[in-house]
Amino acid sequence: MTDHHPFKETTDVNNYATYNKSKEVHYSPYLPPETLGEIFSFFADDDIKSLHSCLLVNKTWCESAAFILWKRPFDISSIMASSELVTVYFLFFSDEKKKSLLTSVPNGLSHLSSDRPALNYLSYLRYVDFKKVYKAVRMWLRTKTLLEPFCSEFKRKQIDLANRIVTELGIIFTTGYARLDRLSLDIRYFEYNPKEDEVDCLSWPCYPGAYVALSDLREFLCGGQFMKNRILHSMAKICKDIEILSIHESAETSPEILAEFIKVQRRLIKFTLTNWSSEILEILSSLRKQARTLKYMELIRCIFPKNEDYTKLFCGLAECRNLQTLKFEQCQHLSTKLMKPLAEASFEKLQTFIIDTETVPDPPTAEIKAIIQNSRESLINIGLNVNLSLYADIMETIATFCPNLLNLSVTIERDSEMQQLITLFRSCTSLIELKIPKKWKLFEVKKSLIELGTALPSTLKRIELDGLKFSHETWDEFLDMCPGSINHFAFNCFSKSIFIKIVEKYGKKYSKLIKNEEMLDLTWLPVQVTVDLMLIK
């Protein structure tokens, strides 16, 4: 095995024996595998080189380090190294499947061994990402067929062969050897669109043996423009202890089947739902079953119904009293009626509340205020990407009920709103991060930005002003007023040299240097610039 490809098949117990014959090794005192595993877990996730060295010490070290390396191999290796993984897993295919593939790529696969590795790498596997596996297979096939002339017919055959291999990988990943903790079947922003008559590689949870491999699953992500009914229906029979669930794109998926999958879980902690445009009432109602355990709820680009019957849409979520994070990002039709159950709920453990929505005829002003008030000072992260003119006194509510606020993101489009923000800092004196994002267009500020600088608390570390526009003179006066604690700036830059020099002057005032100066030299104007500072040693 070489250091360049630590995942090749030769990473096994034979390695350390060969190594020891050629070089004297001083063994460490005996440590049980459990202790070694704890020690090795302190290596950085991508520190393959150090773990590879541990493989060569002795058999116990080899097996303990192999578990760390092989529990999520596609996740910690580069795309080229990932292609080498396919060679290793190919050796676990059935003899019939090997023979079939050898026939399909006679020149590229003929040199492969037919013997299985000394270590059963499948037994170490804990996390599989379909997207990364598929990319690795495509790269692997390309490296095995470099001499073949590339054309549309060749590409079609490669895709067909890749689908066959990924299907077979799914079969061995869901055998009795592997016991997965995490599974990702997410094909968003990815070229994988099988036709109806082609093999469905994504149906790994439906393969024989999936019960053993997936019964301990804790995290499941499923996304893309494909119907997820069969997968969710199969997994509802197998997986009962999902803690983190992410579903992206409705794509005609049955809300009843998704709701049933949620109901059978015993301890769902985190649920994210993205781009759901079909019926949603039954899904959100199913959260009643998770009222004791659910702590994180995120809804992204979901379209909520306008019908009268949906006034109880969030009643199930309202019963989740242990909720710590609640996010509505770019959702549509968040009205007073829909939000009323959440306003009447008591989320005393809520730490993060984010709402990003378009303007509606009946904005949930009172409801958002009630959610903030009912949090009982537990809120430390708030995001309001809304039209503040429709949410009267919302900043005053935050100032009154969120004295421990650490992170604030708020859209500013008027001077009056800037004044409300300035006033807020009289009460919220522990802020670490302030963001003013862009909603529709840049808001030009002058004097009010300078006033903001005088009001910022001395605890502030990061400030991002992507929604504001200002002159370099205003920027200079603003930084003169800012506390010296800030190490991160993000802003719209229209004259790079002047704006950056002003930040440099601010840094020198507080014995700091620009950390990312080389990256700044590569930017084009106008642009949103990020500048990081560090203390001079």
Side-chain angles (χ1 to χ4, degrees), residues 269-272 294-298 323-325 327:
I269 296 172
K270 180 177 179 178
F271 180 40
T272 301
L294 192 68
K295 295 181 180 179
Y296 184 106
M297 182 72 204
E298 185 173 16
L323 205 65
Q324 295 178 3
T325 298
K327 297 183 179 182

Side-chain angles (χ1 to χ4, degrees), residues 38-102:
E38 283 293 316
I39 295 171
F40 294 162
S41 68
F42 284 94
F43 286 127
D45 288 345
D46 57 352
D47 191 358
I48 298 175
K49 186 176 180 180
S50 297
L51 288 167
H52 174 231
S53 298
C54 295
L55 291 169
L56 306 176
V57 177
N58 58 37
K59 183 177 180 180
T60 305
W61 280 57
C62 178
E63 292 178 345
S64 298
F67 174 74
I68 305 293
L69 275 169
W70 288 88
K71 66 179 181 180
R72 53 186 194 92
F74 292 96
D75 204 42
I76 65 175
S77 53
S78 66
I79 186 64
M80 286 301 296
S82 289
S83 66
E84 295 292 344
L85 294 170
V86 181
T87 300
V88 178
Y89 288 122
F90 178 85
L91 302 177
F92 288 91
F93 288 3
S94 66
D95 292 338
E96 181 183 354
K97 185 59 65 174
K98 286 180 189 175
K99 184 177 179 180
S100 171
L101 292 172
L102 287 170

Side-chain angles (χ1 to χ4, degrees), residues 501-531:
K501 282 181 180 178
I502 292 171
V503 178
E504 189 175 17
K505 185 180 80 169
Y506 167 88
K508 286 181 179 178
K509 181 179 177 182
Y510 298 104
S511 302
K512 297 178 183 180
L513 293 174
I514 293 178
K515 188 178 179 180
N516 59 328
E517 196 164 4
E518 291 183 5
M519 293 297 297
L520 293 174
D521 291 338
L522 302 176
T523 58
W524 296 83
L525 298 177
V527 69
Q528 288 182 349
V529 171
T530 298
V531 182

Side-chain angles (χ1 to χ4, degrees), residues 107-348:
N107 297 325
L109 305 181
S110 57
H111 68 286
L112 294 180
S113 169
S114 59
D115 298 328
R116 287 195 174 190
L119 289 179
N120 185 353
Y121 300 116
L122 289 172
S123 66
Y124 302 140
L125 195 62
R126 294 295 180 270
Y127 173 48
V128 177
D129 184 330
F130 175 87
K131 189 186 297 184
K132 292 177 181 177
V133 172
Y134 193 86
K135 286 181 178 179
V137 170
R138 291 292 299 272
M139 178 61 71
W140 184 71
L141 283 173
R142 192 71 191 111
T143 60
K144 303 302 178 188
T145 55
L146 288 175
L147 300 179
E148 300 288 335
F150 191 82
C151 61
S152 58
E153 179 61 18
F154 174 74
K155 182 179 178 181
R156 188 194 65 76
K157 287 182 179 179
Q158 273 218 328
I159 291 174
D160 179 63
L161 187 55
N163 289 349
R164 288 168 56 195
I165 294 173
V166 172
T167 299
E168 191 64 22
L169 285 171
I171 291 173
I172 66 170
F173 290 162
T174 54
T175 61
Y177 296 115
R179 298 186 74 89
L180 300 183
D181 296 326
R182 300 166 61 197
L183 175 63
S184 172
L185 301 179
D186 185 12
I187 60 168
R188 290 174 299 163
Y189 325 116
F190 179 59
E191 184 188 359
Y192 173 71
N193 297 294
K195 298 176 182 177
E196 291 184 4
D197 59 339
E198 291 181 336
V199 177
D200 180 11
C201 308
L202 280 169
S203 296
W204 289 350
C206 308
Y207 295 162
Y211 182 85
V212 175
L214 302 180
S215 58
D216 291 336
L217 203 68
R218 294 292 182 269
E219 182 175 346
F220 178 55
L221 189 157
C222 190
Q225 288 292 341
F226 66 96
M227 190 183 293
K228 306 162 185 66
N229 293 344
R230 185 167 174 244
I231 292 172
L232 293 172
H233 182 70
S234 296
M235 292 189 67
K237 299 175 183 178
I238 300 171
C239 309
K240 311 291 182 181
D241 294 309
I242 299 290
E243 296 176 354
I244 301 175
L245 175 62
S246 301
I247 304 294
H248 306 281
E249 313 287 352
S250 51
E252 300 183 358
T253 300
S254 165
E256 292 79 16
I257 292 178
L258 176 54
E260 190 58 36
F261 179 61
I262 293 172
K263 287 177 184 177
V264 300
Q265 303 311 315
R266 288 188 278 252
R267 50 182 177 187
L268 186 64
I269 296 172
K270 180 177 179 178
F271 180 40
T272 301
L273 189 65
T274 303
N275 287 339
W276 196 272
S277 55
S278 57
E279 296 293 312
I280 198 171
L281 175 61
E282 192 153 356
I283 297 170
L284 295 178
S285 297
S286 69
L287 296 175
R288 282 192 177 91
K289 291 285 185 177
Q290 310 301 327
R292 183 179 57 86
T293 60
L294 192 68
K295 295 181 180 179
Y296 184 106
M297 182 72 204
E298 185 173 16
L299 296 160
I300 305 171
R301 292 186 295 277
C302 291
I303 301 175
F304 300 117
K306 298 179 180 179
N307 318 42
E308 289 289 334
D309 329 351
Y310 282 81
T311 52
K312 296 184 178 180
L313 188 70
F314 292 121
C315 285
L317 182 59
E319 294 182 24
C320 301
R321 301 300 176 87
N322 293 313
L323 205 65
Q324 295 178 3
T325 298
L326 178 58
K327 297 183 179 182
F328 297 96
E329 299 183 50
Q330 300 177 40
C331 293
Q332 296 184 33
H333 308 151
L334 268 180
S335 63
T336 297
K337 291 180 180 178
L338 290 186
M339 294 287 284
K340 188 175 181 181
L342 297 181
E344 296 172 350
S346 179
F347 297 131
E348 295 185 8

